[in-house]
Amino acid sequence: MQNLAPHWQKFLKNLGWYVLALVALIILFTFVRTFPVLLTLWAVALIGGGWLAFQFSQCVFGRDEATISEERVNAQVEQALSYQAQIERLIKSTAHKTDQVHLEQLHLQIDAWTAAIYNLAERLSSLRRDDLIRRDTKEVPKAIADLETRLESETDEVVRGQLAHTLENRRKQLASLTQLQTMMRRAEIQIESTLSQLGTIYSQILTGQSTSHVADYDRISADVDEEVRQLQDHLEALREVKLG
């Protein structure tokens, strides 16, 4: 189940609770054949079944690209936190004093790294949930197409000038939205790349701990610093973007 997407995990978990509730009520009804118990059984069956059917349809049909991206990034954040916890466990169990000093410093860097992943994921999530951005992403291309059609058929020069000016502003707005979407995709890819690097470093620490030394500590430390810098660059870029 851990390998399933979060929305499917949630659906299967709710399905399990639904089945358990039905089984419990059916057993109860075999011993207590009363109308309230029967009514509760029917209510759980109908309402719960309807809700599960809705969830299933959302899992299969109702998830747009923004929802898929957010679920993917959220899963990556959870994985980063898992790596962080495992690295902390390894550090606490390290017996060699020299390794302990190095690993404690690396632990602080990885804490900063995980925080950078979390902050970037939060920024991406807030942008995806922004109602104006979601609306404009759908409506601005339609508005541009409408303005282009009206401009082609308009004969009054004053009106044509107004339409042309409005069309130019709309195109600038679309360019800003496109730039934002590109920056968000790049940030998502950076999180994915960083997570794979974090997994590699975890493996290196695990191997080093088993042999009582941390191989290439300086290189690992530099890799962490570079990944944090790249994450922060993406975060600052998303914070500074201005939409028309």
Side-chain angles (χ1 to χ4, degrees):
M1 186 169 174
Q2 293 295 328
N3 295 327
L4 294 174
H7 60 286
W8 281 110
Q9 293 183 27
K10 182 178 179 181
F11 170 76
L12 291 176
K13 182 179 179 180
N14 290 337
L15 177 61
W17 284 113
Y18 174 71
V19 171
L20 285 175
L22 281 183
V23 170
L25 287 169
I26 291 171
I27 293 173
L28 178 63
F29 185 68
T30 59
F31 292 99
V32 185
R33 292 179 173 274
T34 62
F35 179 73
V37 174
L38 179 62
L39 183 62
T40 302
L41 176 59
W42 276 107
V44 170
L46 292 175
I47 297 174
W51 174 243
L52 282 172
F54 171 75
Q55 281 191 317
F56 181 79
S57 67
Q58 289 294 103
C59 288
V60 177
F61 305 110
R63 298 166 60 248
D64 57 17
E65 183 60 33
T67 302
I68 294 171
S69 296
E70 182 160 8
E71 289 178 351
R72 180 170 55 243
V73 171
N74 288 341
Q76 290 167 344
V77 170
E78 291 181 6
Q79 193 171 353
L81 292 172
S82 178
Y83 279 132
Q84 182 188 29
Q86 290 298 320
I87 290 170
E88 183 177 359
R89 180 184 61 80
L90 284 176
I91 290 172
K92 289 181 178 179
S93 64
T94 300
H96 198 280
K97 291 184 179 180
T98 303
D99 290 350
Q100 186 74 31
V101 172
H102 286 167
L103 287 172
E104 285 290 354
Q105 179 60 34
L106 187 59
H107 184 207
L108 294 176
Q109 291 176 286
I110 289 175
D111 283 350
W113 189 349
T114 308
I117 292 176
Y118 179 82
N119 291 335
L120 183 53
E122 281 290 295
R123 179 57 178 163
L124 286 169
S125 180
S126 67
L127 288 170
R128 291 193 198 95
R129 292 194 301 263
D130 189 289
D131 291 336
L132 291 178
I133 293 175
R134 292 167 66 92
R135 184 201 66 188
D136 289 349
T137 300
K138 294 179 180 179
E139 297 300 326
V140 170
K142 297 177 184 178
I144 289 175
D146 177 63
L147 286 166
E148 288 174 340
T149 300
R150 291 162 61 188
L151 184 60
E152 288 179 0
S153 59
E154 183 58 55
T155 57
D156 185 275
E157 289 301 319
V158 174
V159 176
R160 283 183 60 84
Q162 292 174 327
L163 288 172
H165 179 70
T166 304
L167 178 59
E168 181 183 0
N169 288 337
R170 283 295 196 180
R171 284 172 174 168
K172 289 178 180 178
Q173 186 181 11
L174 180 61
S176 295
L177 289 166
T178 302
Q179 180 191 22
L180 175 61
Q181 296 299 325
T182 299
M183 294 172 70
M184 290 174 68
R185 287 196 301 272
R186 290 174 179 172
E188 291 171 6
I189 293 171
Q190 182 61 46
I191 290 176
E192 185 173 357
S193 173
T194 300
L195 186 62
S196 65
Q197 182 72 356
L198 183 56
T200 299
I201 289 177
Y202 169 67
S203 299
Q204 291 173 333
I205 293 173
L206 187 62
T207 303
Q209 206 242 352
S210 66
T211 57
S212 297
H213 72 279
V214 181
D216 299 328
Y217 166 77
D218 290 338
R219 180 182 57 78
I220 294 175
S221 179
D223 288 344
V224 174
D225 286 339
E226 175 60 20
E227 291 293 336
V228 172
R229 184 192 65 77
Q230 292 187 37
L231 287 167
Q232 290 174 340
D233 285 348
H234 282 284
L235 179 59
E236 289 303 316
L238 287 175
R239 282 175 173 167
E240 293 175 3
V241 69
K242 299 293 189 297
L243 296 179

